[in-house]
Amino acid sequence: MHLQRPLLAALLSVTAAITLTGCSSSFDPIDAANPSQLSVGTVSGSTFGGRQPISGAHVYMFQTNTANYAGPGLAASVSNASVSLLKSAANTTSDGTNFYVTTAANGSFSITGDYNTCTAGSQVYLYATGGKPDGVNANTESGLLAVLGACGSYGSSTTVNMNEVSTIAAAYAMAGFATDVTHVGAPSATNTVAATGIANAFANANQLFDISSSPYNKPNTVARTSTPGSGTNGGTGTVPQQRIHTLANILSACINSTGTASSQCTTLFADMKSASGTTASDTAGIAIYMAQNSAALVGATSNLTAIYNLVVDSSAPYKPWDSSAAPNDLSLQLTFTGAGLLAAFNDLEDLVVDGSGSIWVTSGQGSTSGSYGTILSGFNHLGVPLNNGGYGSLGLSAPQGLAVDATSTYLYVTSYATDSLVKVRISDGNLMNTFSTGSSSGPFSIAIDSNGFPWVLLIGSDTAAKVDPSSGTITTTLSGNGLSGVEGIAMKSGSQGDIWISNAGGVGVSAFHYNGTAAGKEVDGAAEQWGSIAFDANNNAYSALINGNGVAKALGSSITSYSIYPVNFGNSDNELAIDGSNRVWLANNDFASAPTGTPQKNAVFLLAADGSKANGANGYQATPNTTEPDSIAVDASGNIWFNSQSDGGLHEIVGAATPVSVPLSYATANSKLGARP
């Protein structure tokens, strides 16, 4: 966040359940004595490989593990396995471990709910494997997915269209919680943040594809172009239909082949593996690895080209697709507008995520007239605006920093031009208090400590103020110790963790103890100009350098022990975030591509342990290509959110990261920085 840059306001808030068109959302408990067990309802549908029905496929119904995490970097085990929901019946068969139903010659299947139950609070999905896509030749490497949603939410009679498009939608939505197809889960039975995260993640599948439309005869083969709903009820999101179709076509090339011995499957399984090098069992697993590990493919351009070349334009079943050239990466990005986001300001600022999955963004200075932004805008986790016109009655002028308290009850916003800190109730966006930070104080960045106290950087005096959240009284002021051009602020974990403040001039970073006394400084920062700052799970601090073309890493044990990763990110005030696998993500709006020198101001980068670009030289290119990523955050579903200086939009990269504990103050208070909820 930097005052000289353009700023615009965006608010995001989140609570929603996935619903399927034409389905009832009413369930009766299967057993009144055990109300946590609900009927799965009657679920019927069809399985297609491209335009061909798959006969003889085995269709399983699973619910997510509600006790333990599965997901990137976690091994598959009995403790995090998904739970099979089908039981012995006239139309089910056992594979020795789980029961399944078999698809008919036209690809159809049916699951009845009179004997099958799911656990309230779990997420339910379908998995189809094997079968004969051409009605003759069996393909054991064919695998399809479809998300149903929360147990008890998707209706008592549901129709499902399973194909490669539903598979991509499901895989990207659940990627943050999936080790593989049959190991998906989060401790949702005991952890509210985890439960919300996985529920929001599964709801994202319906943002990409409508599984309930035309499952028989002429099944739906088209991904969405916009998110469901209209006006204030949704529909503000742009869906990357061509990218989804491209990925579906890649899967289809293998599914509609002779299987294991085919060149299509051989190429796909050799070139698309997990981050640890694990080979998927079928194309459903491939789809999950696409979502989680497209970074590896970006780094290996030849691999990406090889799987892209599996698709022949004339035979591609899903159109339109990216037929002109292989994409730079395999990420799926949604773009949301509305809710007071004003492209005219061209000036989006800070962005944070709260415990419900809501995203909040500020807008600062105006554009041509020099007027200030005043609106706080909002979207829920599905991109639905919380207030069509934004929240413009809070007395904000040039709002800058944002912070959410640990219980996600209140949002704190610094109002630069009115020298104040504004306290907003998250549930309804109502103004609770306005606290003065002093004349010409210039309140800027903000962080909340483990005890619920906001700490505000004051540009006007190069100090930091600790504010009592009840009275608004400034109880502690940090000064000296190298503070100059204060830029970013971050808290170490613990009830009285140190406060680190980055400086845009003079000293790179200054550290203070909780009681306000100096705790050291990094003294060689004059040429580096540290920007935004964040702590990882090991209390190491990262900062994107404003003018140093790199990222600084300072060891939490010693502020003078630091490294500069000289990765080519260009001269820019970039923002960074750390996900639940303790990995650093950076939003870059001034990146110069090393091979060609062509400016690429629209990339999101994952840093490797050595500071190199782990998701390829060009990162995840933001879409459209005029987008300039600014502030960035990871949510509890594993999605990456960033705002854009150039288009006044809110952007979501679906399932690319590991779910992380949110809000940041909750993670700080519970020693969950850089960790899953």
Side-chain angles (χ1 to χ4, degrees):
M1 182 170 58
H2 208 49
L3 187 64
Q4 289 82 349
R5 302 174 313 177
L7 312 156
L8 185 61
L11 160 78
L12 300 109
S13 170
V14 111
T15 53
I18 185 171
T19 56
L20 299 179
T21 304
C23 298
S24 166
S25 59
S26 175
F27 267 46
D28 292 325
I30 195 72
D31 181 356
N34 188 9
S36 67
Q37 292 299 306
L38 306 176
S39 168
V40 301
T42 297
V43 178
S44 59
S46 63
T47 56
F48 271 69
R51 306 302 173 89
Q52 300 180 142
I54 302 177
S55 62
H58 298 173
V59 180
Y60 297 85
M61 176 181 278
F62 286 104
Q63 70 178 24
T64 53
N65 189 299
T66 59
N68 297 295
Y69 277 111
L74 300 176
S77 68
V78 174
S79 66
N80 63 10
S82 301
V83 178
S84 178
L85 297 180
L86 300 188
K87 299 177 175 63
S88 177
N91 67 333
T92 63
T93 306
S94 175
D95 61 9
T97 303
N98 301 314
F99 286 92
Y100 60 85
V101 297
T102 304
T103 60
N106 65 352
S108 65
F109 65 90
S110 180
I111 296 169
T112 57
D114 54 350
Y115 51 87
N116 298 309
T117 65
C118 55
T119 303
S122 66
Q123 301 297 314
V124 181
Y125 65 98
L126 298 176
Y127 167 46
T129 185
K132 302 174 182 178
D134 61 359
V136 177
N137 299 299
N139 186 348
T140 59
E141 293 188 331
S142 170
L144 302 175
L145 293 168
V147 161
L148 294 179
C151 170
S153 73
Y154 53 83
S156 58
S157 182
T158 298
T159 56
V160 179
N161 181 9
M162 295 185 71
N163 58 25
E164 293 90 346
V165 181
S166 74
T167 302
I168 292 298
Y172 276 71
M174 67 171 62
F177 300 93
T179 296
D180 55 36
V181 173
T182 59
H183 293 80
V184 185
S188 51
T190 57
N191 186 316
T192 301
V193 178
T196 300
I198 195 169
N200 291 352
F202 270 61
N204 244 355
N206 190 48
Q207 298 279 83
L208 307 177
F209 181 64
D210 180 7
I211 65 170
S212 66
S213 59
S214 304
Y216 307 111
N217 299 323
K218 295 179 65 176
N220 177 32
T221 59
V222 181
R224 297 187 191 274
T225 57
S226 61
T227 53
S230 61
T232 58
N233 295 316
T236 69
T238 301
V239 179
Q241 184 189 69
Q242 289 192 195
R243 176 64 59 82
I244 295 172
H245 288 173
T246 300
L247 302 177
N249 285 334
I250 290 170
L251 298 183
S252 181
C254 172
I255 290 175
N256 290 289
S257 72
T258 55
T260 306
S262 72
S263 60
Q264 295 93 327
C265 290
T266 299
T267 298
L268 181 59
F269 283 81
D271 290 339
M272 185 70 261
K273 298 183 179 181
S274 74
S276 62
T278 302
T279 301
S281 59
D282 58 27
T283 53
I286 288 285
I288 291 173
Y289 293 163
M290 282 179 170
Q292 296 174 337
N293 198 36
S294 58
L297 269 179
V298 175
T301 308
S302 60
N303 289 20
L304 180 59
T305 301
I307 67 169
Y308 175 84
N309 287 340
L310 294 176
V311 186
V312 179
D313 186 41
S314 60
S315 62
Y318 303 109
K319 297 175 181 178
W321 65 292
D322 300 325
S323 58
S324 58
N328 173 78
D329 59 83
L330 303 181
S331 65
L332 294 183
Q333 299 179 36
L334 303 178
T335 301
F336 301 98
T337 57
L341 290 178
L342 302 175
F345 276 110
N346 196 26
D347 213 356
L348 292 176
E349 246 326 293
D350 209 3
L351 181 154
V352 295
V353 181
D354 71 19
S356 69
S358 301
I359 315 297
W360 303 78
V361 187
T362 51
S363 67
Q365 293 183 132
S367 53
T368 57
S369 66
S371 60
Y372 288 120
T374 61
I375 295 175
L376 190 63
S377 305
F379 301 83
N380 70 12
H381 67 286
L382 296 179
V384 178
L386 297 179
N387 186 325
N388 193 43
Y391 298 93
S393 59
L394 301 174
L396 297 170
S397 184
Q400 300 290 311
L402 286 169
V404 177
D405 73 352
T407 63
S408 294
T409 303
Y410 299 110
L411 175 73
Y412 293 89
V413 190
T414 59
S415 182
Y416 177 84
T418 61
D419 296 314
S420 59
L421 175 66
V422 175
K423 182 178 181 180
V424 181
R425 187 166 58 202
I426 287 177
S427 61
D428 54 18
N430 283 346
L431 174 66
M432 302 305 294
N433 297 102
T434 300
F435 304 135
S436 173
T437 55
S439 178
S440 301
S441 57
F444 193 49
S445 300
I446 181 174
I448 296 178
D449 66 25
S450 297
N451 300 305
F453 287 84
W455 293 74
V456 182
L457 294 188
L458 305 177
I459 290 180
S461 56
D462 271 331
T463 61
K466 177 184 176 183
V467 180
D468 186 310
S470 298
S471 65
T473 304
I474 294 176
T475 62
T476 304
T477 300
L478 308 179
S479 60
N481 195 33
L483 292 180
S484 177
V486 291
E487 179 74 13
I489 181 170
M491 304 285 172
K492 281 189 179 181
S493 294
S495 61
Q496 295 190 1
D498 287 354
I499 302 103
W500 284 29
I501 299 171
S502 61
N503 300 285
V507 169
V509 63
S510 305
F512 294 85
H513 295 305
Y514 187 80
N515 63 5
T517 61
K521 57 187 176 182
E522 185 277 295
V523 297
D524 298 323
E528 295 158 6
Q529 294 190 355
W530 290 33
S532 65
I533 189 169
F535 280 108
D536 69 6
N538 301 312
N539 268 333
N540 299 319
Y542 289 84
S543 180
L545 303 179
I546 295 173
N547 68 344
N549 292 344
V551 172
K553 177 183 178 181
L555 300 181
S557 58
S558 173
I559 196 169
T560 59
S561 179
Y562 71 99
S563 303
I564 301 296
Y565 298 136
V567 286
N568 178 21
F569 290 124
N571 255 354
S572 185
D573 178 14
N574 304 303
E575 301 282 331
L576 47 80
I578 297 174
D579 74 8
S581 290
N582 208 34
R583 301 180 301 177
V584 179
W585 294 86
L586 184 135
N588 185 272
N589 54 42
D590 191 14
F591 165 61
S593 178
T596 64
T598 302
Q600 300 288 339
K601 297 183 178 182
N602 52 346
V604 172
F605 290 97
L606 170 64
L607 300 189
D610 62 358
S612 62
K613 299 167 184 172
N615 61 338
N618 293 320
Y620 291 150
Q621 291 292 287
T623 53
N625 59 15
T626 56
T627 299
E628 296 180 87
D630 190 32
S631 293
I632 185 172
V634 178
D635 67 17
S637 300
N639 305 309
I640 299 171
W641 295 86
F642 64 89
N643 53 21
S644 169
Q645 291 188 27
S646 58
D647 65 6
L650 177 69
H651 300 261
E652 176 189 11
I653 306 179
V654 180
T658 301
V660 73
S661 297
V662 293
L664 189 60
S665 58
Y666 165 84
T668 302
N670 292 278
S671 298
K672 286 181 172 291
L673 292 171
R676 292 173 171 87

